[in-house]
Amino acid sequence: MVGRKLTERLVKDGQLNGQAITRLVLHDVIQPEAPQASFEIAALASDFSQPGEAEKLIASRPDVIFHLAAIVSGEAEADLEKGYRINLDGTRFLFDAIRHVGDGYCPRLVFTSSIAVFGAPFPDAIGDEFFLTPLTSYGTQKAIGELLLADYTRRGFFDGIGIRLPTICVRPGKPNKAASGFFSSIIREPLSGQEAVLPVAEDVRHAHASPRSAVGFLMHAATLDTARLGPRRNLTMPSVSVTVAEQIESLRRIAGEKVAARIRREPDADIMRMVAGWPRRFDAGRAQSLGFRAETSFDEIIRLHIEDELAGKIAG
Amino acid sequence: MVGRKLTERLVKDGQLNGQAITRLVLHDVIQPEAPQASFEIAALASDFSQPGEAEKLIASRPDVIFHLAAIVSGEAEADLEKGYRINLDGTRFLFDAIRHVGDGYCPRLVFTSSIAVFGAPFPDAIGDEFFLTPLTSYGTQKAIGELLLADYTRRGFFDGIGIRLPTICVRPGKPNKAASGFFSSIIREPLSGQEAVLPVAEDVRHAHASPRSAVGFLMHAATLDTARLGPRRNLTMPSVSVTVAEQIESLRRIAGEKVAARIRREPDADIMRMVAGWPRRFDAGRAQSLGFRAETSFDEIIRLHIEDELAGKIAG
């Protein structure tokens, strides 16, 4: 989803950091859809965790590489070997393919990490120097990716930056089975006239940023002056920390009581237990001082969703 | 050196955690020397970064595994591929070999990590929740080993514990080319009648533990109740933080002015620059509360060296 929105943005802008985009290579394990654009777009499908595949992806020597590919959390937990193969070996093959060019080629590499690199117990707000103690294999693989990115950057193979995305809200599309899905669905479904299920208590606090912010993070990471980063190349992105009650208050304020009443409380002990181990708030001072910007209120997050996904229309 | 001293200790004790040792497998890339013991000792040489080799090492299903093998910092920096192959792939092959047994085999696995997982700038004392930002490939590989250890332990493949060794002082033997070598040689050489070179200023502060403590850390890690650890499986070991001036004062106090006068000041800009990026002090509260013990003064560290390596005799 973030990859698709990033592509839309690149196509719309036609340039990056003041330079016209001349060629875009899209890659996924299934054939990605290539939109119409003012520049050439190649769409490739392959399993980049197979030796030799990553080399093909960088054969055209892109100036900027966005590495978003990953097996998601649930699947990496269910299938240990697949998770390590895609999320660790795949990432390493990509990094090594760049290294092997060896003639001074040094692209900007933007790696999407995740707040899953953190594991409870946490301080009230997780600061920029808090340690990584992932409690999932996915979080472990992302944390390893961060370490490799920093080391390969230090050694001059590429100019890497890792960005830890908060939970993206409001995620467009259908409800999915992710345990975190309710954070979006309690906003998305009511706004389009559907009922949504809230499986946790309203005092649950979590950190969010809009899909538009996620794309903004990626674009900023691709263009900022990395000399300002020093050797610490992985950054927690800014986010809006709110309780579920505050999310619902925002919805009521923006869309009215009738819409907010479409949320049905149906506590789910499994989800409550999982969510209890998730971060509640981040102090993303470094990213903010480097110019990364998220929303400043949950109202803004809802308004962006209505604007970007609903063409301004709420189902009253 | 630590591996050899650990073997001596196991041979001397003949038991671990109240259980008689029945078999010890020593492994290194070159044939290790097997001492005489009351139990069977097998000495194996192989490159365990080659697929299939790790399986042979655990074929006898040891109850306790000490994983100390590593390419050292300088070599891992000079030869990127070798460092990643031995320190990352080798470690992963070992961990996967244990996982592949798959019939409930769940050995205690003690992994020696390093304070090289930390990179400047630091707080005055590095606490247990400070983040890992290695500034060498060696430190990166150790940090990745820590993450894998925690994930594989969480998933029940083994009962892992990673211990970050401080600088071991006084290291026995000849002076070596490690940049940190002077911390030991300014004590070791004068005590045996030789001149030593001090390449840094006397206000340089660093954290030390004796070889006897290092073996003690390993033994304690092999036997402690890991239920007390929870999911955070990697621990900074306790150490004595002293300035070089304090090291020299201790030497003078214990061995006299004539011995201390064998230190020649010869500033080395390269070493000074490297040392400026090293940790100065650790707050190892977690390890201490779990019963890990180092020396409490540098005097004690010198006395242990005189006792263990010099049979009590100082070259006056």
Side-chain angles (χ1 to χ4, degrees), chain A residues 164-202:
Chain A
R164 291 181 202 123
L165 297 179
T167 294
I168 303 303
C169 187
V170 180
R171 183 174 282 275
K174 300 270 169 219
N176 65 17
K177 297 206 168 186
S180 62
F182 71 87
F183 288 122
S184 283
S185 63
I186 60 168
I187 308 300
R188 185 184 56 225
E189 267 61 82
L191 284 172
S192 58
Q194 311 289 315
E195 194 177 65
V197 170
L198 174 62
V200 302
E202 291 194 23

Short mmCIF file of all heavy atoms in Angstrom, two decimals, chain A residues 164-202:
data_model
loop_
_atom_site.label_atom_id
_atom_site.label_comp_id
_atom_site.label_asym_id
_atom_site.label_seq_id
_atom_site.Cartn_x
_atom_site.Cartn_y
_atom_site.Cartn_z
N ARG A 164 11.80 3.94 10.75
CA ARG A 164 10.86 3.07 11.46
C ARG A 164 9.48 3.69 11.35
O ARG A 164 9.21 4.72 11.97
CB ARG A 164 11.24 2.96 12.93
CG ARG A 164 12.52 2.20 13.15
CD ARG A 164 12.87 2.09 14.63
NE ARG A 164 14.29 1.83 14.72
CZ ARG A 164 15.16 2.58 15.39
NH1 ARG A 164 14.75 3.62 16.09
NH2 ARG A 164 16.45 2.28 15.38
N LEU A 165 8.64 3.04 10.55
CA LEU A 165 7.28 3.54 10.36
C LEU A 165 6.42 3.22 11.57
O LEU A 165 6.44 2.09 12.06
CB LEU A 165 6.66 2.91 9.11
CG LEU A 165 7.35 3.22 7.77
CD1 LEU A 165 6.62 2.49 6.65
CD2 LEU A 165 7.37 4.72 7.50
N PRO A 166 5.63 4.20 12.03
CA PRO A 166 4.63 3.87 13.06
C PRO A 166 3.48 3.13 12.39
O PRO A 166 3.53 2.83 11.19
CB PRO A 166 4.19 5.26 13.55
CG PRO A 166 4.37 6.14 12.37
CD PRO A 166 5.54 5.58 11.59
N THR A 167 2.44 2.81 13.14
CA THR A 167 1.25 2.22 12.53
C THR A 167 0.63 3.23 11.59
O THR A 167 0.48 4.40 11.93
CB THR A 167 0.26 1.81 13.66
OG1 THR A 167 0.87 0.77 14.42
CG2 THR A 167 -1.05 1.30 13.07
N ILE A 168 0.35 2.78 10.38
CA ILE A 168 -0.23 3.68 9.37
C ILE A 168 -1.75 3.67 9.54
O ILE A 168 -2.38 2.61 9.52
CB ILE A 168 0.18 3.25 7.95
CG1 ILE A 168 1.70 3.21 7.82
CG2 ILE A 168 -0.42 4.20 6.92
CD1 ILE A 168 2.43 4.50 8.15
N CYS A 169 -2.30 4.87 9.71
CA CYS A 169 -3.72 5.01 10.01
C CYS A 169 -4.19 6.32 9.35
O CYS A 169 -3.51 7.33 9.48
CB CYS A 169 -3.91 5.06 11.52
SG CYS A 169 -5.62 5.01 12.07
N VAL A 170 -5.21 6.37 8.59
CA VAL A 170 -6.17 5.32 8.32
C VAL A 170 -5.70 4.56 7.09
O VAL A 170 -5.52 5.15 6.02
CB VAL A 170 -7.57 5.94 8.06
CG1 VAL A 170 -8.59 4.84 7.77
CG2 VAL A 170 -8.01 6.82 9.23
N ARG A 171 -5.51 3.26 7.25
CA ARG A 171 -5.09 2.41 6.14
C ARG A 171 -6.30 2.24 5.20
O ARG A 171 -7.37 1.84 5.67
CB ARG A 171 -4.63 1.08 6.71
CG ARG A 171 -4.08 0.08 5.72
CD ARG A 171 -3.52 -1.14 6.44
NE ARG A 171 -2.20 -0.87 7.00
CZ ARG A 171 -1.06 -0.97 6.32
NH1 ARG A 171 -1.07 -1.37 5.07
NH2 ARG A 171 0.08 -0.70 6.90
N PRO A 172 -6.14 2.54 3.91
CA PRO A 172 -7.28 2.38 3.01
C PRO A 172 -7.54 0.91 2.68
O PRO A 172 -6.70 0.05 2.97
CB PRO A 172 -6.83 3.14 1.76
CG PRO A 172 -5.34 3.09 1.79
CD PRO A 172 -4.95 3.05 3.23
N GLY A 173 -8.69 0.65 2.13
CA GLY A 173 -9.00 -0.72 1.67
C GLY A 173 -9.91 -1.46 2.62
O GLY A 173 -10.53 -0.88 3.49
N LYS A 174 -9.95 -2.77 2.44
CA LYS A 174 -10.83 -3.63 3.23
C LYS A 174 -10.20 -3.91 4.60
O LYS A 174 -8.99 -3.82 4.74
CB LYS A 174 -11.02 -4.98 2.50
CG LYS A 174 -11.63 -4.87 1.12
CD LYS A 174 -13.15 -4.95 1.21
CE LYS A 174 -13.79 -4.57 -0.12
NZ LYS A 174 -15.02 -3.79 0.04
N PRO A 175 -11.02 -4.29 5.58
CA PRO A 175 -10.45 -4.75 6.85
C PRO A 175 -9.53 -5.94 6.58
O PRO A 175 -9.83 -6.76 5.73
CB PRO A 175 -11.66 -5.21 7.66
CG PRO A 175 -12.85 -4.58 7.02
CD PRO A 175 -12.50 -4.39 5.57
N ASN A 176 -8.37 -5.99 7.28
CA ASN A 176 -7.52 -7.18 7.13
C ASN A 176 -7.40 -7.88 8.47
O ASN A 176 -7.99 -7.46 9.47
CB ASN A 176 -6.15 -6.81 6.53
CG ASN A 176 -5.34 -5.93 7.45
OD1 ASN A 176 -5.62 -5.83 8.66
ND2 ASN A 176 -4.32 -5.29 6.91
N LYS A 177 -6.64 -8.96 8.48
CA LYS A 177 -6.59 -9.79 9.70
C LYS A 177 -5.48 -9.39 10.65
O LYS A 177 -5.29 -10.03 11.68
CB LYS A 177 -6.45 -11.27 9.30
CG LYS A 177 -7.65 -11.74 8.51
CD LYS A 177 -7.89 -13.23 8.61
CE LYS A 177 -9.28 -13.53 8.04
NZ LYS A 177 -9.70 -14.91 8.20
N ALA A 178 -4.74 -8.33 10.30
CA ALA A 178 -3.70 -7.88 11.21
C ALA A 178 -4.32 -7.51 12.55
O ALA A 178 -5.40 -6.93 12.60
CB ALA A 178 -2.95 -6.69 10.62
N ALA A 179 -3.61 -7.86 13.64
CA ALA A 179 -4.13 -7.56 14.97
C ALA A 179 -4.32 -6.06 15.16
O ALA A 179 -5.16 -5.62 15.93
CB ALA A 179 -3.19 -8.12 16.03
N SER A 180 -3.53 -5.27 14.44
CA SER A 180 -3.61 -3.81 14.57
C SER A 180 -4.67 -3.20 13.66
O SER A 180 -4.86 -1.99 13.64
CB SER A 180 -2.26 -3.19 14.22
OG SER A 180 -1.92 -3.49 12.88
N GLY A 181 -5.39 -4.04 12.90
CA GLY A 181 -6.32 -3.55 11.89
C GLY A 181 -7.42 -2.64 12.44
O GLY A 181 -7.86 -1.72 11.77
N PHE A 182 -7.80 -2.89 13.70
CA PHE A 182 -8.93 -2.13 14.25
C PHE A 182 -8.63 -0.64 14.38
O PHE A 182 -9.54 0.19 14.32
CB PHE A 182 -9.35 -2.71 15.61
CG PHE A 182 -8.37 -2.46 16.71
CD1 PHE A 182 -8.41 -1.28 17.46
CD2 PHE A 182 -7.38 -3.40 17.00
CE1 PHE A 182 -7.49 -1.06 18.47
CE2 PHE A 182 -6.46 -3.18 18.00
CZ PHE A 182 -6.51 -2.01 18.74
N PHE A 183 -7.34 -0.27 14.55
CA PHE A 183 -7.02 1.16 14.68
C PHE A 183 -7.51 1.93 13.46
O PHE A 183 -7.94 3.08 13.57
CB PHE A 183 -5.50 1.38 14.84
CG PHE A 183 -4.92 0.97 16.15
CD1 PHE A 183 -3.91 0.01 16.22
CD2 PHE A 183 -5.36 1.55 17.34
CE1 PHE A 183 -3.35 -0.36 17.45
CE2 PHE A 183 -4.80 1.18 18.57
CZ PHE A 183 -3.80 0.22 18.62
N SER A 184 -7.41 1.30 12.29
CA SER A 184 -7.92 1.92 11.07
C SER A 184 -9.40 1.66 10.86
O SER A 184 -10.15 2.56 10.48
CB SER A 184 -7.14 1.40 9.85
OG SER A 184 -5.88 2.02 9.75
N SER A 185 -9.83 0.42 11.12
CA SER A 185 -11.20 0.08 10.73
C SER A 185 -12.24 0.84 11.57
O SER A 185 -13.31 1.14 11.05
CB SER A 185 -11.43 -1.43 10.76
OG SER A 185 -11.29 -1.92 12.05
N ILE A 186 -11.92 1.18 12.80
CA ILE A 186 -12.91 1.93 13.60
C ILE A 186 -13.12 3.35 13.05
O ILE A 186 -14.08 4.02 13.43
CB ILE A 186 -12.55 2.01 15.11
CG1 ILE A 186 -11.20 2.69 15.34
CG2 ILE A 186 -12.58 0.62 15.74
CD1 ILE A 186 -10.93 3.04 16.81
N ILE A 187 -12.24 3.80 12.18
CA ILE A 187 -12.43 5.09 11.51
C ILE A 187 -12.97 4.86 10.09
O ILE A 187 -13.95 5.48 9.67
CB ILE A 187 -11.08 5.86 11.44
CG1 ILE A 187 -10.42 5.97 12.82
CG2 ILE A 187 -11.28 7.23 10.78
CD1 ILE A 187 -11.24 6.69 13.88
N ARG A 188 -12.32 3.96 9.37
CA ARG A 188 -12.61 3.76 7.94
C ARG A 188 -14.02 3.24 7.71
O ARG A 188 -14.76 3.80 6.89
CB ARG A 188 -11.58 2.79 7.36
CG ARG A 188 -11.65 2.56 5.87
CD ARG A 188 -10.63 1.50 5.47
NE ARG A 188 -10.87 0.27 6.23
CZ ARG A 188 -9.93 -0.46 6.82
NH1 ARG A 188 -8.66 -0.12 6.73
NH2 ARG A 188 -10.25 -1.55 7.51
N GLU A 189 -14.40 2.19 8.41
CA GLU A 189 -15.72 1.59 8.18
C GLU A 189 -16.86 2.56 8.53
O GLU A 189 -17.74 2.80 7.70
CB GLU A 189 -15.85 0.25 8.92
CG GLU A 189 -15.47 -0.96 8.09
CD GLU A 189 -14.04 -0.97 7.58
OE1 GLU A 189 -13.13 -1.36 8.33
OE2 GLU A 189 -13.84 -0.55 6.42
N PRO A 190 -16.86 3.16 9.72
CA PRO A 190 -17.95 4.10 10.02
C PRO A 190 -18.06 5.23 9.00
O PRO A 190 -19.17 5.63 8.64
CB PRO A 190 -17.57 4.62 11.42
CG PRO A 190 -16.82 3.51 12.04
CD PRO A 190 -16.03 2.90 10.91
N LEU A 191 -16.93 5.74 8.52
CA LEU A 191 -16.98 6.85 7.55
C LEU A 191 -17.60 6.43 6.23
O LEU A 191 -18.07 7.27 5.47
CB LEU A 191 -15.56 7.40 7.31
CG LEU A 191 -14.97 8.28 8.41
CD1 LEU A 191 -13.50 8.58 8.11
CD2 LEU A 191 -15.75 9.59 8.57
N SER A 192 -17.57 5.13 5.94
CA SER A 192 -18.18 4.68 4.68
C SER A 192 -19.47 3.90 4.94
O SER A 192 -19.89 3.09 4.11
CB SER A 192 -17.17 3.85 3.87
OG SER A 192 -16.73 2.76 4.64
N GLY A 193 -20.07 4.13 6.11
CA GLY A 193 -21.40 3.59 6.37
C GLY A 193 -21.43 2.17 6.89
O GLY A 193 -22.49 1.57 7.02
N GLN A 194 -20.25 1.62 7.21
CA GLN A 194 -20.19 0.24 7.69
C GLN A 194 -19.96 0.20 9.20
O GLN A 194 -19.43 1.13 9.79
CB GLN A 194 -19.01 -0.50 7.03
CG GLN A 194 -18.92 -0.36 5.53
CD GLN A 194 -20.03 -1.12 4.82
OE1 GLN A 194 -20.31 -2.25 5.16
NE2 GLN A 194 -20.68 -0.45 3.87
N GLU A 195 -20.32 -0.93 9.77
CA GLU A 195 -20.04 -1.14 11.19
C GLU A 195 -18.58 -1.60 11.36
O GLU A 195 -18.05 -2.29 10.49
CB GLU A 195 -20.99 -2.22 11.73
CG GLU A 195 -21.01 -2.28 13.23
CD GLU A 195 -22.01 -3.29 13.77
OE1 GLU A 195 -21.79 -4.50 13.52
OE2 GLU A 195 -22.98 -2.88 14.43
N ALA A 196 -17.97 -1.20 12.47
CA ALA A 196 -16.61 -1.65 12.77
C ALA A 196 -16.58 -2.25 14.17
O ALA A 196 -17.36 -1.85 15.03
CB ALA A 196 -15.64 -0.49 12.68
N VAL A 197 -15.66 -3.19 14.36
CA VAL A 197 -15.53 -3.85 15.67
C VAL A 197 -14.31 -3.30 16.40
O VAL A 197 -13.23 -3.22 15.82
CB VAL A 197 -15.41 -5.38 15.49
CG1 VAL A 197 -15.02 -6.05 16.80
CG2 VAL A 197 -16.72 -5.96 14.95
N LEU A 198 -14.51 -2.92 17.65
CA LEU A 198 -13.41 -2.48 18.51
C LEU A 198 -13.12 -3.60 19.51
O LEU A 198 -13.92 -3.84 20.40
CB LEU A 198 -13.78 -1.19 19.25
CG LEU A 198 -12.76 -0.71 20.29
CD1 LEU A 198 -11.43 -0.37 19.65
CD2 LEU A 198 -13.30 0.48 21.06
N PRO A 199 -11.96 -4.26 19.39
CA PRO A 199 -11.70 -5.44 20.23
C PRO A 199 -10.95 -5.13 21.54
O PRO A 199 -10.64 -6.04 22.29
CB PRO A 199 -10.84 -6.32 19.32
CG PRO A 199 -10.09 -5.33 18.48
CD PRO A 199 -10.93 -4.10 18.35
N VAL A 200 -10.59 -3.85 21.76
CA VAL A 200 -9.79 -3.50 22.96
C VAL A 200 -10.49 -2.40 23.74
O VAL A 200 -11.46 -1.79 23.27
CB VAL A 200 -8.37 -3.03 22.56
CG1 VAL A 200 -7.64 -4.09 21.76
CG2 VAL A 200 -8.41 -1.72 21.80
N ALA A 201 -9.96 -2.11 24.93
CA ALA A 201 -10.52 -1.04 25.76
C ALA A 201 -10.16 0.31 25.17
O ALA A 201 -9.17 0.46 24.45
CB ALA A 201 -9.98 -1.16 27.18
N GLU A 202 -10.96 1.32 25.50
CA GLU A 202 -10.76 2.64 24.90
C GLU A 202 -9.55 3.38 25.47
O GLU A 202 -9.14 4.40 24.93
CB GLU A 202 -12.02 3.49 25.07
CG GLU A 202 -13.17 2.97 24.21
CD GLU A 202 -14.32 3.96 24.09
OE1 GLU A 202 -14.10 5.17 24.27
OE2 GLU A 202 -15.44 3.50 23.79
#
